[in-house]
Amino acid sequence: MKQRNYIKMEFPARSVNEGFARAAAAAFAAQMDPTMDVLGDIRTAVSEAVTNAIVHAYPDSAGPVQMRLRILEGDQLEIVIRDRGRGIPDVKKAMEPMYTTGGEERSGMGFTIMASFMDSLRVRSSPEKGTAVTMRKRIRTKAEE
Amino acid sequence: MKVLSSYQDGKLTLHLKGELDHHEASAALRKIGRVLDDYLPQDCVIDMEGLTFMDSSGIALILKISRLMTETGGRAWVENARRQPLRVIDASGIDRMIKVVV
Ligand SMILES: Nc1ncnc2c1ncn2[C@@H]1O[C@H](COP(=O)(O)OP(=O)(O)OP(=O)(O)O)[C@@H](O)[C@H]1O
Ligand SMILES: [Mg+2]
């Protein structure tokens, strides 16, 4: 698919970067003229994926997290969050609502929220190589809604 | 984010302000745990009027507050959530476990 615009960034897996990542994603998506609700959905999905990289991929270190956003033909926004952490042994199971390895501080709803706020969600993962979360959403402009 | 509290007639209101994510959640929970211990309220209102963003870390926090309240025989519920936090609450389905007043 042809891309019309993109950004790429990398930051260490430190929780202080969660707010930065979702704000940066929203600022990039703003050029597609989305509604406030859709902008909120994008911020939320990015926050979930980035938090997972910070909490689960690198439990005791601050390894690299990459975020890439692309605007594709047909007003599709694609978001990829990639880490080089421990990976997910069973992706299908990890994506079930309420499944968590994170204990009381986590609710196990991250993937469920990503899936419900975006049009598509794909998770590829392999042990030691890390995890890539790819999400897409067609952005209707404010004028279209 | 900030957590402010007010208390009247057995009802403690927690006013959440700013953005609630994983980065902010543990400090918020510590603060809330202290306030709940101080007042041991019958009812606890989680007032989200000032909350401009929340992700699943907020879901875990709400469930934790609800659990702490049930342990001491009280109840908790959510009030005044804005659109984004409300969408997260809806997507997570926790409105089946805790009352959300809209
Ligand atoms: N980037 C990642 N690297 C390694 N494991 C991951 C990654 N992302 C998710 N996981 C695994 O998948 C599980 C489910 O993730 P999900 O985001 O749905 O819930 P959670 O992070 O546990 O809780 P919540 O998102 O509600 O705070 C996690 O508990 C973790 O075991
Ligand atoms: Mg998560």
Side-chain angles (χ1 to χ4, degrees):
Chain A
M1 237 189 252
K2 237 162 71 188
Q3 59 183 28
R4 298 206 310 245
N5 196 8
Y6 71 90
I7 54 161
K8 274 181 183 172
M9 56 176 70
E10 182 175 301
F11 47 86
R14 295 190 189 287
S15 64
V16 67
N17 290 324
E18 292 157 6
F20 168 75
R22 62 178 178 264
F28 179 77
Q31 67 193 282
M32 303 177 84
D33 198 27
T35 62
M36 284 300 285
D37 277 354
V38 169
L39 221 42
D41 292 353
I42 293 165
R43 289 203 297 153
T44 313
V46 167
S47 198
E48 295 299 344
V50 167
T51 301
N52 278 354
I54 291 169
V55 173
H56 304 296
Y58 306 108
D60 341 282
S61 64
V65 181
Q66 287 166 0
M67 177 167 87
R68 192 186 70 194
L69 279 83
R70 295 199 288 166
I71 298 171
L72 305 171
E73 277 177 349
D75 298 319
Q76 292 271 340
L77 177 68
E78 182 188 76
I79 304 170
V80 181
I81 311 290
R82 172 116 178 60
D83 65 66
R84 305 202 169 274
R86 57 146 72 142
I88 305 173
D90 185 343
V91 171
K92 199 162 168 264
K93 185 160 192 185
M95 291 176 76
E96 283 168 14
M98 318 270 279
Y99 177 85
T100 181
T101 57
E104 253 212 338
E105 279 163 46
R106 312 253 55 91
S107 64
M109 295 307 295
F111 282 131
T112 305
I113 289 169
M114 289 180 242
S116 72
F117 285 9
M118 302 297 285
D119 295 341
S120 72
L121 165 67
R122 192 153 76 100
V123 181
R124 281 165 300 160
S125 190
S126 91
E128 279 132 69
K129 291 216 173 61
T131 301
V133 174
T134 303
M135 300 178 278
R136 279 191 186 174
K137 190 177 181 74
R138 162 137 138 76
I139 308 297
R140 284 170 194 78
T141 62
K142 268 189 245 134
E144 267 182 278
E145 296 252 334
Chain B
M1 74 168 293
K2 259 199 195 135
V3 182
L4 304 175
S5 59
S6 56
Y7 180 80
Q8 204 181 10
D9 305 329
K11 185 168 94 178
L12 178 75
T13 305
L14 299 167
H15 308 270
L16 309 188
K17 297 190 187 302
E19 304 203 342
L20 171 50
D21 63 6
H22 156 254
H23 181 64
E24 302 283 354
S26 36
L29 182 59
R30 272 198 304 278
K31 166 91 195 262
I32 289 166
R34 275 200 305 273
V35 187
L36 289 179
D37 283 349
D38 284 352
Y39 290 98
L40 291 173
Q42 184 60 37
D43 294 327
C44 176
V45 180
I46 306 168
D47 184 344
M48 296 201 167
E49 194 186 350
L51 198 70
T52 52
F53 177 84
M54 180 185 101
D55 62 16
S56 62
S57 305
I59 298 298
L61 185 75
I62 294 170
L63 291 177
K64 177 76 183 178
I65 294 170
S66 170
R67 221 162 20 238
L68 289 172
M69 287 302 298
T70 321
E71 270 168 24
T72 53
R75 321 172 283 175
W77 65 89
V78 173
E79 281 184 9
N80 298 326
R82 297 185 190 200
R83 289 183 68 90
Q84 188 276 339
L86 205 54
R87 285 166 80 88
V88 172
I89 288 170
D90 284 348
S92 73
I94 55 157
D95 40 338
R96 277 175 284 137
M97 289 170 255
I98 181 169
K99 190 164 78 168
V100 178
V101 182
V102 279

